[in-house]
Amino acid sequence: MKSLNSEKETDSLFPDSADIPERFRMNSPVIQHEYLINGELKAWNGDMQEVRSPVLLKGSSGLAGPIVGSYPMLTEKESMEALEAAVSAYDHGRGYWPSLSVQKRIACVEAFLSRMLLKKEEIIHLFMWEIGKSLKGSLEEFDRTADYIRNTFDAARDMERVSSKCVIEQGIIGQIRRAPLGVVLCMGPYNYPLNETLSTLIPALIMGNTAVIKPPKLGVLLHSPLLAAFQTSFPPGVVNIVYGEGKQIVPPMLRSGQVDILAFIGSSRVSEILKSLHPKPHRLRSVLGLEAKNPGIILQDADMELAIRECVYGSLSFNGQRCTALKILFLHSRLVTAFLQGFTEMIDRLKCGLPWEEGVEITPLPEMGRIEFLNGLIEDAKNNGASIINRSGGIVNGTLFHPTLLYPVNETMRIYHEEQFGPVVPVVPFDDIEIPIRYIIQSSYGQQVSIFGKDHDVIGRLVDILINQVCRVNINCMCQRGPDIFPFAGRKDSGEETLSVSDALKVFSMRTIVATKDIHGNRKIMKSILSGRRG
Ligand code: G3H
């Protein structure tokens, strides 16, 4: 690797605790002894998992990540207790929560949201120390999640308005509405731990399901300020939270056959294992957001400045740790010199530093082993003929991995196929547009693509082909999930089901119908049943 770990440089990038502005300092670790089951915050006296920050600090024995806190390492016994609490709160659809009206369920979530807003500062602080997300990125995730919840209220009310009406067709009166499915197991990812947990949990709850949450491996403690909010906002058993080693506590819940929906954001490998544990897999609805390898295709007439800017942020925001990140660029060979030069200048200017620093773009990587993995991909690419193009490419300072541009990349290299989930940008030159098209068709993934160009005929033809390969084609802009009212999905190994503010309400429910023949007194019975619905 290039000038790997220059100690002097590394030292200058990480501070003494005293150098950190007071409001961002990691003062007292969060020792979370409690977990939530059946409306009770239970105290745990067993093993605890220590959480160390990826944000390193200078100390007497060199650089080290300070302790952010610790959380309980529960066992199968507690995870099954949590599941039983959710199962009994649902009570085959006869429980208090699934019988409540949507409006009353929304009122509980509104109460939760108000309590969550009060915890914003604490949560943002933990975001930065626990997963190294920038202050700006952490605030965005928090606010986006709050907006998502508010928009879900509107979408649920709209859905209710439509379903409260009766339809008369061929002499049959029917009221079609959406009903809950049962118990949802919510497992979010570490890169969007708050957003992608709550953007499945909240619609699931509003539709009348009950839940067990298992927070991601990293980004656990940032949920701790919400424990009391969950406890006080929802009836017992509606929301339960378990902590611990996923391999120990998750499989028993699935094996029991009592999980009705698996809402999981992570890898296709793990999702396959989890799904296969359910004794009756056809009864399990899976809502999955999985890995991706979104390509950017830069056509020969692309607006260079725009393409460079979108590709830099598309591939490197939050260090490339977004499932929607651009993870491979196909560059028309006529543009190589100008594009690589512009791209290089821009990424070498990106500020690498600490999450709370003004203008910081590249922050410490939280995941153990990710740096070795990225180094492995780079070495493999170099051995197969690629070079690191930018000056600071390949430099690692502690947990900071500098953005690295690799060129020319081809199909013999691991990075051509594997998701890097980090700040490494592989560029493949092409003359024949069939090269990126074939790549996308043959890829195991099918989430999104970005096309950069000006000729609407060429772009139109590409859109027609690619829209049947991926779920979103972006023109002259990077890949992304938002706005959250847009459908977000993945084909092949990139996901299952569609999420968006309104789609999520559908995914976590099913259409049911109350019907009768339009004869005799049936109309009166229908009217009285529907208007007299309790809850
Ligand atoms: O990691 C996957 C996220 O859902 C991506 O969301 O495109 O808004 O960053 P984003």
Side-chain angles (χ1 to χ4, degrees):
M1 308 273 14
K2 245 199 276 177
S3 65
L4 185 69
N5 286 326
S6 142
E7 250 178 58
K8 213 167 141 209
E9 204 185 325
T10 305
D11 257 23
S12 69
L13 285 164
F14 293 100
D16 268 320
S17 181
D19 298 336
I20 301 172
E22 206 176 331
R23 70 189 179 108
F24 299 127
R25 263 180 227 159
M26 184 71 241
N27 290 325
S28 36
V30 178
I31 311 298
Q32 187 205 310
H33 277 291
E34 290 172 322
Y35 58 103
L36 177 63
I37 293 186
N38 207 21
E40 203 187 320
L41 284 176
K42 299 194 172 212
W44 175 246
N45 297 316
D47 289 349
M48 299 283 284
Q49 174 65 49
E50 183 178 88
V51 177
R52 287 222 171 235
S53 178
V55 180
L56 308 181
L57 294 181
K58 285 189 193 117
S60 50
S61 47
L63 287 176
I67 296 172
V68 187
S70 54
Y71 61 82
M73 290 298 277
L74 304 181
T75 68
E76 172 175 346
K77 178 174 168 286
E78 294 76 30
S79 74
M80 287 310 289
E81 267 171 35
L83 180 62
E84 276 150 30
V87 168
S88 107
Y90 188 69
D91 190 16
H92 307 280
R94 295 163 40 153
Y96 174 71
W97 186 251
S99 311
L100 217 51
S101 67
V102 166
Q103 197 45 50
K104 287 192 177 157
R105 292 198 289 255
I106 288 177
C108 293
V109 180
E110 272 169 339
F112 168 76
L113 178 60
S114 318
R115 293 180 174 115
M116 173 176 134
L117 294 175
L118 298 176
K119 299 288 178 184
K120 181 168 176 174
E121 214 171 302
E122 255 176 88
I123 294 174
I124 298 298
H125 187 77
L126 286 165
F127 254 112
M128 294 189 285
W129 282 100
E130 213 179 347
I131 59 164
K133 195 169 254 198
S134 69
L135 175 60
K136 183 168 164 273
S138 306
L139 287 166
E140 275 169 10
E141 179 167 345
F142 188 95
D143 293 341
R144 176 181 180 178
T145 307
D147 284 344
Y148 190 102
I149 296 175
R150 289 186 199 102
N151 292 335
T152 301
F153 299 154
D154 296 338
R157 286 185 187 117
D158 286 350
M159 197 179 264
E160 268 299 280
R161 256 191 302 278
V162 174
S163 68
S164 61
K165 292 184 188 124
C166 279
V167 180
I168 305 177
E169 186 69 37
Q170 296 174 27
I172 307 277
I173 311 176
Q175 194 217 28
I176 303 162
R177 61 181 182 222
R178 300 206 74 95
L181 298 168
V183 173
V184 56
L185 174 59
C186 275
M187 297 170 68
Y190 82 79
N191 59 335
Y192 282 87
L194 182 75
N195 183 266
E196 295 202 339
T197 302
L198 295 190
S199 62
T200 54
L201 175 76
I202 297 301
L205 293 178
I206 287 180
M207 294 316 289
N209 303 284
T210 59
V212 177
I213 304 172
K214 152 74 179 68
K217 200 168 184 151
L218 307 166
V220 180
L221 293 170
L222 59 87
H223 293 90
S224 69
L226 296 179
L227 269 181
F230 279 122
Q231 186 206 17
T232 37
S233 310
F234 295 101
V238 172
V239 179
N240 307 276
I241 310 184
V242 292
Y243 302 90
E245 182 61 60
K247 278 190 204 136
Q248 305 258 318
I249 63 174
V250 174
M253 291 193 271
L254 283 155
R255 264 191 222 110
S256 75
Q258 292 187 299
V259 173
D260 302 291
I261 319 172
L262 172 65
F264 173 74
I265 320 289
S267 71
S268 56
R269 188 186 62 80
V270 174
S271 77
E272 250 165 57
I273 298 172
L274 296 179
K275 282 172 68 165
S276 71
L277 297 173
H278 197 288
K280 297 205 173 185
H282 60 276
R283 288 197 188 178
L284 180 71
R285 180 168 297 184
S286 301
V287 184
L288 308 175
L290 307 173
E291 68 269 27
K293 185 90 183 164
N294 294 342
I297 304 174
I298 301 117
L299 302 169
Q300 64 174 316
D301 63 346
D303 175 329
M304 189 70 78
E305 211 183 304
L306 176 141
I308 290 172
R309 193 180 59 242
E310 291 290 318
C311 288
V312 165
Y313 288 110
S315 50
L316 294 169
S317 345
F318 190 31
N319 313 312
Q321 300 169 118
R322 294 163 57 236
C323 62
T324 46
L326 286 171
K327 296 195 178 108
I328 188 161
L329 300 180
F330 287 87
L331 176 63
H332 195 280
S333 61
R334 292 217 186 132
L335 305 179
V336 166
T337 311
F339 185 91
L340 292 186
Q341 189 183 332
F343 200 94
T344 296
E345 281 167 12
M346 196 164 170
I347 60 175
D348 279 340
R349 278 202 311 268
L350 291 180
K351 184 167 172 181
C352 292
L354 309 174
W356 47 85
E357 284 174 3
E358 185 69 34
V360 72
E361 301 281 0
I362 301 295
T363 53
L365 298 183
E367 215 184 351
M368 282 268 288
R370 182 58 52 178
I371 289 179
E372 290 69 26
F373 175 75
L374 295 174
N375 280 338
L377 291 179
I378 293 173
E379 277 311 306
D380 169 76
K382 282 164 71 179
N383 291 337
N384 285 291
S387 303
I388 294 178
I389 303 297
N390 58 313
R391 196 174 40 81
S392 55
I395 296 178
V396 182
N397 294 114
T399 47
L400 279 167
F401 199 104
H402 292 257
T404 303
L405 180 61
L406 286 174
Y407 178 84
V409 164
N410 62 44
E411 71 282 0
T412 63
M413 303 171 190
R414 283 174 53 205
I415 192 138
Y416 187 85
H417 309 277
E418 292 177 36
E419 183 187 46
Q420 60 272 47
F421 217 71
V424 179
V425 187
V427 178
V428 184
F430 75 92
D431 286 305
D432 180 358
I433 192 65
E434 278 301 316
I435 289 179
I437 293 176
R438 218 175 306 127
Y439 175 86
I440 294 168
I441 291 174
Q442 288 168 357
S443 170
S444 302
Y445 309 114
Q447 193 197 63
Q448 300 190 15
V449 62
S450 288
I451 305 169
F452 296 91
K454 292 195 191 104
D455 185 326
H456 50 83
D457 280 337
V458 174
I459 295 177
R461 275 198 298 278
L462 266 179
V463 169
D464 288 346
I465 299 168
L466 297 180
I467 203 65
N468 292 343
Q469 302 299 324
V470 297
C471 293
R472 174 164 163 167
V473 178
N474 301 279
I475 300 168
N476 290 321
C477 61
M478 63 191 229
C479 297
Q480 61 180 42
R481 175 176 175 159
D484 288 325
I485 57 154
F486 283 4
F488 176 60
R491 295 176 189 257
K492 302 191 227 173
D493 294 349
S494 289
E496 216 171 303
E497 297 288 359
T498 300
L499 291 173
S500 76
V501 167
S502 56
D503 283 301
L505 294 169
K506 294 180 188 151
V507 162
F508 290 104
S509 60
M510 69 186 299
R511 299 224 304 160
T512 55
I513 176 164
V514 181
T516 184
K517 284 192 176 163
D518 189 8
I519 47 169
H520 310 304
N522 283 350
R523 205 177 258 234
K524 207 168 154 202
I525 295 175
M526 263 311 246
K527 215 171 154 197
S528 118
I529 292 173
L530 299 177
S531 63
R533 188 161 148 68
R534 286 147 294 276

